[in-house]
Amino acid sequence: MNRILAIETSCDETAAAVVEAGRRVVSNVVASQIELHSRYGGVFPEVASRQHVLAIQPVIEEALTKANIAAIQDLDAIAVTHGPGLAGSLLVGVNAAKGLAFASGLPLLPVNHLEGHIYSNWLALPERPAPVPEDSFPALVLIVSGGHTELILMSGHGQYQRLGGTLDDAAGEAFDKVARLLNLGFPGGPVIQRMATQGDPTRYPLPRALSHSAEHRFDFSFSGLKTAVLNLVRQLEQTGPPLAEQPGVVADIAAAFQEAVADVLVAKSADAAITFGVRQVCICGGVSANAMLRQVAQARFTQLGLPLHIPPLAYCTDNAAMIGAAAYYRWRNNTSFPCDLSLDVFANLPVA
Ligand code: KG4
Ligand code: ZN
């Protein structure tokens, strides 16, 4: 059966889930702190840790109740995100998991947060229209979250080669920073997506960085794009009223920005997919919730005849089910875990 209780507290969501055999989500509870942090315009680490302390126990209890688990001993293992993430936030989840493992005698499986995002695509979910990835490798994985933008070649379960990544801001970070520039609030991704639906992406052409760079063929850079938006905003406000009073301008900038990000992510992923002859493509992380990115990626990979997997929306952003899935595949394949019970908050995806 291999029922795993997974715990995730790396950033601003307190999450717990019970996952069976790596794929079946028996319960999945996420307590979001977004409202709490939105007043600060970003995640406030100390506030996040304190909220995790308050939420962790009820969230774990709810996950167990929803999964009809009466006693911890009915589980087979406990998995927890041990990094990368905010140190104070990770500590809360890791300590809760250690306590449960120690008290029950169950094995404790430390999971890398990025590997968790990758395995969000392996979860079999009723709301997922496409089949989950099979064990057909190599697969190309694009991780796009608030803290990371990574292009990875996956040659088997737990086997990764990093092809490239962002040289500066992560894709989600760029959404959040541009939303702040446009006075749209936090988090930036969903609100930019909403504004962009009413905008014209062609009105303000924005750059696609490193598109023709041989040296950085599989790398990304989003800080120039953010600066281009900043300069555009300054220029528009110098020659006219505040942005919010200029009809349609914010929506047009949001649409142009979103399209620039989606274009560059998909173009480089497609280039890598062709170059390495992959058999399937997976996109994951908070930004993979973006409708424009999903649409551009689907069109391009259909054209290339490659199966594309993107998780259902609720599993794009942080959750514990993905941590349970990643733990299962490492455990099943007897892949060594990257660390013992120490708190390696800088832990990065173990790459070849
Ligand atoms: O994976 P995630 O929940 O947390 C990290 O591990 O970082 O990703 C959060 C990021 C935020 O930057 C947020 O703005 C972005 O994902 N995001 C989106 C969308 N929904 C969330 N970006 C673009 N479009 C969206 N619909
Ligand atoms: Zn994440």
Side-chain angles (χ1 to χ4, degrees):
M1 283 295 260
N2 294 313
R3 274 197 292 193
I4 296 179
L5 167 70
I7 297 170
E8 151 68 43
T9 62
S10 68
C11 190
D12 61 337
E13 335 268 14
T14 318
V18 174
V19 179
E20 218 168 66
R23 289 192 185 245
R24 198 172 90 76
V25 181
V26 188
S27 68
N28 183 45
V29 180
V30 182
S32 170
Q33 304 179 5
I34 281 182
E35 267 196 50
L36 204 59
H37 296 286
S38 60
R39 78 186 79 159
Y40 305 109
V43 177
F44 196 131
E46 174 64 11
V47 172
S49 318
R50 283 169 182 260
Q51 191 55 35
H52 284 308
V53 171
L54 293 175
I56 189 75
Q57 206 164 331
V59 164
I60 292 174
E61 274 170 16
E62 191 181 337
L64 293 174
T65 306
K66 284 190 168 156
N68 280 324
I69 307 276
I72 290 282
Q73 279 74 11
D74 295 344
L75 295 161
D76 296 293
I78 295 175
V80 65
T81 306
H82 73 109
L86 299 171
S89 291
L90 288 160
L91 253 172
V92 179
V94 167
N95 281 331
K98 277 187 188 178
L100 287 172
F102 184 69
S104 62
L106 293 176
L108 177 60
L109 316 176
V111 175
N112 180 286
H113 182 75
L114 298 177
E115 193 166 25
H117 274 301
I118 293 175
Y119 277 92
S120 61
N121 267 310
W122 264 260
L123 295 169
L125 299 157
E127 57 270 53
R128 183 198 289 272
V132 291
E134 288 311 321
D135 293 354
S136 65
F137 296 107
L140 182 82
V141 183
L142 172 69
I143 308 174
V144 271
S145 71
H148 292 268
T149 303
E150 311 276 346
L151 206 47
I152 286 158
L153 186 64
M154 187 174 176
S155 54
H157 287 292
Q159 288 166 7
Y160 312 106
Q161 182 192 339
R162 186 178 185 272
L163 302 176
T166 185
L167 302 178
D168 39 61
D169 294 347
E173 188 182 356
F175 269 94
D176 296 336
K177 286 179 174 171
V178 165
R180 200 178 310 167
L181 277 176
L182 298 175
N183 265 324
L184 294 175
F186 173 84
V191 67
I192 286 193
Q193 174 172 321
R194 217 174 314 125
M195 288 303 293
T197 54
Q198 299 143 37
D200 170 8
T202 61
R203 182 162 164 204
Y204 302 110
L206 290 171
R208 271 94 172 131
L210 307 178
S211 286
H212 305 290
S213 164
E215 187 193 350
H216 292 295
R217 186 167 167 196
F218 302 125
D219 289 321
F220 304 92
S221 165
F222 294 108
S223 78
L225 177 57
K226 173 194 65 193
T227 309
V229 172
L230 175 66
N231 291 338
L232 179 61
V233 169
R234 282 199 181 134
Q235 184 200 333
L236 288 166
E237 290 198 327
Q238 262 165 16
T239 51
L243 223 52
E245 292 166 29
Q246 301 188 27
V249 166
V250 172
D252 292 341
I253 298 175
F257 165 78
Q258 179 180 255
E259 196 179 83
V261 175
D263 274 357
V264 86
L265 289 174
V266 173
K268 292 203 174 226
S269 302
D271 183 15
I274 297 165
T275 305
F276 293 94
V278 300
R279 296 173 65 191
Q280 54 188 348
V281 177
C282 299
I283 307 184
C284 53
V287 180
S288 67
N290 186 266
M292 168 64 71
L293 173 62
R294 295 169 87 97
Q295 193 184 317
V296 175
Q298 195 59 65
R300 183 72 181 111
F301 290 110
T302 301
Q303 194 182 45
L304 292 175
L306 278 172
L308 170 68
H309 306 282
I310 311 179
L313 294 188
Y315 295 87
C316 291
T317 45
D318 290 347
N319 63 86
M322 67 186 196
I323 303 302
Y328 172 83
Y329 281 93
R330 266 192 181 267
W331 197 25
R332 188 195 73 172
N333 295 330
N334 227 349
T335 323
S336 65
F337 279 88
C339 80
D340 53 18
L341 301 189
S342 63
L343 181 70
D344 180 10
V345 294
F346 302 111
N348 234 316
L349 195 66
V351 290

